[in-house]
Amino acid sequence: MPTLIVSDSTKDWELEIPEVEKVEAWRYLTDPEFANRRNVRLYNLCRSMKYQSTGYYVSLLAEARGHKPLPGVIALQDLKSPAMLRFVGDELDELIQKSLEPLHSDQFELSVYFGCNMAKRYERLARHLFNMVPIPLLRFRFVKNKTWQIRSVKALGTNDLTEGHHEFVTEAALKHFTKSFRSRPKTKRLRFDLAILHDPNEGANSPSNEGALKKFVKAAESVGLSADLITKDDSGSLLEYDGLFIRQTTAVNHFTYRLARRAASEGLVVIDDPVSIARCTNKVYLAELMTYHKIPTPQTLVVHRDNMHEIGPTLGFPCVLKKPDSAFSQGVVKVKNQKELEERLQEFLTESELIVAQQFLPTTFDWRIGVLDQRAIFACQYYMAPGHWQIIQQEKDGRGRYGKSKTIPVELAPRKAVQMAIKAANLIGDGLYGVDVKESDGKFTLIEVNDNPNIDSGCEDEILRDELYRKIMESFLKRIEQKKSAIH
């Protein structure tokens, strides 16, 4: 993909980088040659990014031309939003406190150049801040009021660089560009770029194992997509891609949701999209949604402090309590009597004003129906872990013990289970979902709709094999083509 560095004057940026073209901002805005270029990666280093300034229009017109500007207009607007400065995740906040703790002053400025800082002790903090605000040259101002907080963020032009920093900025830029240019050989020209986000440290709880990730990359290439496996540390380069496929466990109060929102707002095709994450990861929402649309579920109560006395008489014992954002069988407990119920309620209601209580339906397995683009693409039986009532038994050391699984052709799965799964998933969106359905006494009840469903080599792909990965990559290709055609 051709890369441009755009600044007010080519003299502002003297660094020569292979495969990178330097262009003056006014020429980029007015020369038809640039308007007609396709698939351009652009770094905007103009001196001013203010609304309707030259720098602002460089990013704005780049987006209109289907180019990939860094920063994008949304990122520039976010700089003015006080809400953006408050929207710091727990992990980043902890890193800020730890990094700035040794300081004796109550104010501090940190320059972030392509995700780097001159002081090695701030290297990790600089990278995380760049991932949060993907702008090449930044200056953060922190103030301490009991704890350190971000007071302001400024996008820098080349004229704003601190005296003596130019050489370091050159090194940081060279490092960034060298890392960004993926040098693996291509057997053929690939049309679009796809980022596949994963966490190598998730282990057994990862939505896709290593074998599946490799098959996704191979399937992407077969349909004309160049796919890269990226981690959280690579997210500052997100705008180099046309699509984002999240294969890391998602949550709303988590980096994955913030990244999905940023990618979607910048025009990337995203699975899981932020709306699906917000809806699927909250069991209170799902309970209310299924009730409203009359989809059968185990008898369910949305519980709060005013109605918690109704659980026992309504559902009986044992019954199941669920935290709204529970996942991988964590935050889901079976209570056998009133005493256990009261103990768990006290714990759960300190974390959330609303929780879910459900009738306990014992089964030997749950149906998992995979749904993509509002169609079923796989059907599995997830069996309960040996001697346990859930498909995963979480151990004290954090590891999960799983039950066995069996994949069957969708057309051989119970028709009612498949129809119920599709109907429920369609209420969420048209992304990729894993719908859990219980079969008990010949009746089917919906348990939940999951975004980010497991797709592992050797399990969900047992029937379709490589075709399963190809179907998902074809969906990405179709969505990206639709977006690009809408732009042009």
Side-chain angles (χ1 to χ4, degrees):
M1 181 180 294
T3 300
L4 302 179
I5 288 180
V6 179
S7 56
D8 293 280
S9 168
T10 54
K11 294 179 181 178
D12 289 343
W13 191 260
E14 297 181 355
L15 176 65
E16 296 291 340
I17 303 176
E19 302 181 54
V20 175
E21 181 182 353
K22 295 185 293 183
V23 181
E24 290 192 352
W26 195 247
R27 184 180 169 215
Y28 176 78
L29 294 177
T30 59
D31 190 335
E33 175 200 346
F34 295 100
N36 294 326
R37 289 194 188 182
R38 295 290 178 263
N39 296 326
V40 173
R41 180 191 294 115
L42 182 150
Y43 290 82
N44 183 354
L45 301 182
C46 290
R47 295 171 186 172
S48 174
M49 305 283 187
K50 291 181 181 179
Y51 180 61
Q52 294 190 339
S53 66
T54 301
Y56 176 85
Y57 276 116
V58 166
S59 286
L60 187 69
L61 294 195
E63 291 183 1
R65 294 167 178 174
H67 298 172
K68 297 178 180 178
L70 189 73
V73 170
I74 290 176
L76 292 176
Q77 293 301 106
D78 282 348
L79 289 181
K80 304 174 185 178
S81 169
M84 190 276 290
L85 300 182
R86 292 194 298 268
F87 195 59
V88 175
D90 293 341
E91 184 182 356
L92 177 55
D93 183 61
E94 184 179 334
L95 182 58
I96 290 172
Q97 306 312 320
K98 184 178 179 180
S99 301
L100 305 188
E101 184 180 15
L103 297 177
H104 298 293
S105 170
D106 58 0
Q107 294 192 34
F108 179 66
E109 285 191 348
L110 184 74
S111 298
V112 179
Y113 306 133
F114 292 93
C116 300
N117 179 263
M118 291 186 69
K120 194 167 183 64
R121 64 180 176 273
Y122 298 126
E123 188 174 318
R124 187 162 171 252
L125 176 59
R127 186 172 67 247
H128 278 68
L129 290 170
F130 176 64
N131 288 341
M132 182 182 77
V133 187
I135 295 177
L137 307 177
L138 289 161
R139 184 166 294 137
F140 287 81
R141 188 163 78 88
F142 298 88
V143 296
K144 187 175 183 180
N145 183 12
K146 295 185 179 178
T147 61
W148 285 100
Q149 297 174 328
I150 301 173
R151 175 57 57 86
S152 65
V153 189
K154 180 185 177 183
L156 305 180
T158 50
N159 59 314
D160 294 314
L161 296 179
T162 302
E163 191 67 32
H165 284 200
H166 288 77
E167 185 177 345
F168 178 81
V169 173
T170 298
E171 292 174 0
L174 190 58
K175 180 180 175 183
H176 175 82
F177 286 117
T178 302
K179 184 180 179 182
S180 295
F181 296 148
R182 290 155 278 148
S183 57
R184 71 173 188 272
K186 299 287 196 305
T187 56
K188 57 183 178 180
R189 174 78 175 170
L190 301 177
R191 299 170 60 195
F192 304 114
D193 297 302
L194 176 68
I196 302 178
L197 177 73
H198 73 122
D199 180 358
N201 299 316
E202 270 197 301
N205 285 343
S206 174
S208 286
N209 58 20
E210 187 177 349
L213 292 173
K214 290 179 180 178
K215 289 180 180 180
F216 276 124
V217 172
K218 185 178 178 181
E221 185 170 332
S222 74
V223 303
L225 297 173
S226 175
D228 284 339
L229 296 177
I230 69 166
T231 67
K232 179 179 181 178
D233 288 345
D234 303 313
S235 60
S237 301
L238 184 66
L239 297 188
E240 296 176 12
Y241 298 92
D242 303 289
L244 171 65
F245 187 26
I246 299 179
R247 291 280 83 199
Q248 179 176 343
T249 303
T250 55
V252 169
N253 188 25
H254 189 254
F255 151 78
T256 48
Y257 177 71
R258 295 191 290 274
L259 188 68
R261 280 199 63 182
R262 193 174 97 213
S265 69
E266 296 287 1
L268 277 72
V269 170
V270 187
I271 296 177
D272 305 313
D273 64 275
V275 173
S276 292
I277 295 174
R279 290 175 174 176
C280 288
T281 56
N282 193 293
K283 289 177 170 53
V284 171
Y285 174 87
L286 290 174
E288 199 76 5
L289 184 70
M290 299 308 150
T291 299
Y292 182 80
H293 289 277
K294 296 181 172 56
I295 294 180
T297 63
Q299 192 169 3
T300 301
L301 277 177
V302 173
V303 178
H304 45 81
R305 296 186 186 278
D306 294 336
N307 74 344
M308 59 185 185
H309 61 278
E310 299 176 14
I311 297 174
T314 304
L315 304 180
F317 294 103
C319 63
V320 178
L321 295 183
K322 299 180 177 182
K323 293 180 182 179
D325 55 357
S326 54
F328 291 105
S329 298
Q330 296 174 316
V332 179
V333 298
K334 181 172 68 172
V335 292
K336 300 174 184 176
N337 51 51
Q338 187 66 29
K339 183 172 183 279
E340 283 189 13
L341 174 64
E342 290 172 0
E343 290 173 354
R344 289 297 194 167
L345 278 174
Q346 191 67 27
E347 173 193 339
F348 281 24
L349 287 171
T350 57
E351 296 181 24
S352 175
E353 293 290 340
L354 301 175
I355 63 171
V356 170
Q358 267 185 346
Q359 170 193 13
F360 175 60
L361 290 179
T363 56
T364 56
F365 67 85
D366 286 350
W367 285 103
R368 164 62 67 88
I369 309 297
V371 179
L372 172 67
D373 293 330
Q374 303 187 335
R375 295 181 179 180
I377 58 172
F378 66 81
C380 292
Q381 293 173 332
Y382 288 172
Y383 285 81
M384 304 303 150
H388 191 59
W389 61 280
Q390 296 167 291
I391 63 174
I392 309 171
Q393 183 171 12
Q394 294 292 348
E395 307 287 1
K396 291 181 179 179
D397 61 4
R399 291 181 298 178
R401 193 160 57 90
Y402 287 72
K404 64 180 182 178
S405 64
K406 179 182 178 183
T407 305
I408 65 173
V410 170
E411 57 270 21
L412 297 183
R415 187 177 175 186
K416 288 184 178 179
V418 174
Q419 288 176 334
M420 179 180 288
I422 294 173
K423 182 178 179 181
N426 290 355
L427 296 174
I428 303 295
D430 64 354
L432 176 63
Y433 310 102
V435 186
D436 295 337
V437 178
K438 275 194 181 294
E439 181 180 0
S440 180
D441 296 328
K443 295 180 180 178
F444 294 91
T445 53
L446 186 121
I447 301 301
E448 60 191 19
V449 181
N450 301 277
D451 69 307
N452 203 239
N454 275 65
I455 296 179
D456 284 318
S457 178
C459 183
E460 288 79 9
D461 66 357
E462 275 189 335
I463 300 300
L464 292 179
R465 300 193 182 278
D466 291 348
E467 184 61 22
L468 176 60
Y469 304 95
R470 186 179 175 88
K471 279 178 179 287
I472 295 170
M473 292 300 103
E474 284 176 341
S475 178
F476 265 106
L477 177 63
K478 181 180 178 182
R479 291 164 187 244
I480 293 171
E481 286 176 333
Q482 288 173 341
K483 268 195 177 288
K484 297 293 183 183
S485 63
I487 292 172
H488 299 300

